[in-house]
Amino acid sequence: MEKIMMLKKVIAVCLFSIALVGCNDNVSGKFSGTWVEPNPNSISSTVTITAQGDHYEVNHVDPMINRNSTFDVKEDSNYLRSMSSNRIEYTLISPNELAFGNNKKVVWIKK
């Protein structure tokens, strides 16, 4: 009887551990950092991406078009999607290369 009670406790601890693993909704962090154009100049854009638990905060600065916007995105594999419209905002081409939207052309590299 004592062995059965011990087995039940071990099973309960295992199930609880599995449940906790399933609750981890944090982003991977692979997008985090500052991204700059490969050959920067005074009108180059910069994208700064910061992990915020279950999503990222993006600050996109583009002096050429007077853009300085901050917005939240969610991670979807190698894409960052707008939390408000689900549109693909950025695509991770490689660990150090980022593209705009669903385009496969590298626009920024990790600084």
Side-chain angles (χ1 to χ4, degrees), residues 14-54:
C14 289
L15 290 174
F16 182 71
S17 298
I18 291 169
L20 284 178
V21 168
C23 292
N24 185 4
D25 290 337
N26 289 338
V27 295
S28 70
K30 63 185 175 184
F31 289 93
S32 294
T34 300
W35 301 81
V36 296
E37 290 185 39
N39 299 308
N41 58 38
S42 63
I43 58 169
S44 297
S45 64
T46 302
V47 178
T48 303
I49 303 173
T50 309
Q52 299 288 323
D54 65 343

Side-chain angles (χ1 to χ4, degrees), residues 51-106:
Q52 299 288 323
D54 65 343
H55 69 282
Y56 290 97
E57 180 182 83
V58 174
N59 177 246
H60 190 148
V61 177
D62 191 339
M64 194 164 143
I65 59 172
N66 289 328
R67 177 182 184 172
N68 186 351
S69 59
T70 301
F71 53 95
D72 293 332
V73 293
K74 60 185 174 184
E75 185 175 341
D76 180 8
S77 184
N78 285 333
Y79 303 102
L80 287 179
R81 293 181 177 272
S82 166
M83 291 184 74
S84 59
S85 68
N86 206 37
R87 182 181 75 209
I88 294 174
E89 298 288 341
Y90 304 96
T91 302
L92 191 65
I93 304 298
S94 77
N96 295 315
E97 298 174 316
L98 191 68
F100 188 69
N102 196 19
N103 191 339
K104 303 300 183 205
K105 180 181 177 219
V106 175

